[in-house]
Amino acid sequence: MSNELLRLAQVLESRKGAPEDSSYVAHLYGKGLDTILKKIGEEATETVIAATKDDDEQLIYETADLWFHTMVLLAHRGLGPQQVLDELARRAGTSGHEEKRQRSAK
């Protein structure tokens, strides 16, 4: 796993149970799942908007925000980036159409 993803996952984990006013992440955890999900929705929308413009720097910035808030969600649920990377590795070499069929059959 990327060192940055690992470092971020450790920081996110360390913020659990911290006072809400001690950090932005602790604030998100304290507000709960709905607030975290709203942030992901906001960041996803901003990423889509950035993708429509000819500004790669802004697209990277918004994608970083989206990834960050998604990692907050994973940590909130007791998950981490390694599980997502493992799932991507499991799918490697499988057609996207086939992977979708496999999910639909469950």
Side-chain angles (χ1 to χ4, degrees):
M1 175 172 26
S2 159
N3 288 337
E4 280 305 306
L5 289 178
L6 179 58
R7 182 196 61 77
L8 179 55
Q10 291 170 339
V11 168
L12 296 177
E13 195 62 34
S14 75
R15 299 292 196 263
K16 287 183 174 179
E20 282 187 40
D21 62 352
S22 67
S23 76
Y24 174 68
V25 172
H27 170 79
L28 287 174
Y29 287 148
K31 292 299 178 191
L33 183 61
D34 285 346
T35 297
I36 295 168
L37 294 175
K38 285 176 187 172
K39 279 305 294 181
I40 290 174
E42 175 187 318
E43 299 303 341
T45 299
E46 290 173 359
T47 301
V48 169
I49 291 167
T52 67
K53 301 183 174 152
D54 192 23
D55 185 347
D56 291 345
E57 207 170 293
Q58 188 65 28
L59 177 57
I60 289 167
Y61 181 88
E62 297 300 346
T63 301
D65 281 352
L66 179 58
W67 286 17
F68 174 85
H69 288 90
T70 300
M71 286 187 61
V72 170
L73 171 63
L74 289 170
H76 181 74
R77 294 282 301 265
L79 303 167
Q82 189 59 57
Q83 284 121 321
V84 176
L85 293 171
D86 290 347
E87 175 60 17
L88 290 171
R90 184 192 68 76
R91 294 180 188 186
T94 303
S95 154
H97 295 296
E98 179 58 30
E99 194 278 329
K100 188 172 182 175
R101 272 193 290 278
Q102 290 172 3
R103 278 187 290 136
S104 297
K106 290 182 180 180

